[in-house]
Amino acid sequence: MNQRIAAIDFGLKRIGIALSDPRGKLASPFKTVDGGKKGAVHVVEALRPYQQEIKTILIGLPLLMNGKEGDMAILVRTFAQELENLIHIPILLLDERLSSAQADRSLKELSFNRKKRSTKIDMAAATLLLQQYLDGIH
């Protein structure tokens, strides 16, 4: 059965999206959309071609290093609720404390300059979050 999983790295300016392959084994960068007040709407529009195939959406929850939720985590929870109301696909929030830093290191290793990294970091973080999840369930 074809069941994709999508992952989202939420940001106020940009939202990174990754998608799994139809078998749910391999994560790939998909798209970066604008964040802001219409962030959830932008995600729904981006995922529309795959909406029938997506069984779950993962969203990185940026916890503080002590494991508590800060202001950004509250914004992510609000965004997740808004997105779920629009797209009607179950959403899972996953701890992403180190995914953006890890994604940035990976992009540096690929010799992307700072400007190029800033345009790809959100998608890379979403892809990393998704691949870690997929590796954990298979």
Side-chain angles (χ1 to χ4, degrees), residues 15 17 23 34 45 93 99 123 130 134:
I15 297 170
I17 306 170
R23 296 178 319 139
D34 290 337
E45 289 169 359
L93 297 175
S99 64
M123 238 186 332
L130 178 55
L134 295 173

Side-chain angles (χ1 to χ4, degrees), residues 49-66:
Y50 298 98
Q51 190 169 342
Q52 299 304 316
E53 297 176 50
I54 298 170
K55 69 173 182 175
T56 307
I57 297 174
L58 312 173
I59 301 178
L61 185 64
L63 299 174
L64 301 174
M65 290 313 282
N66 64 9

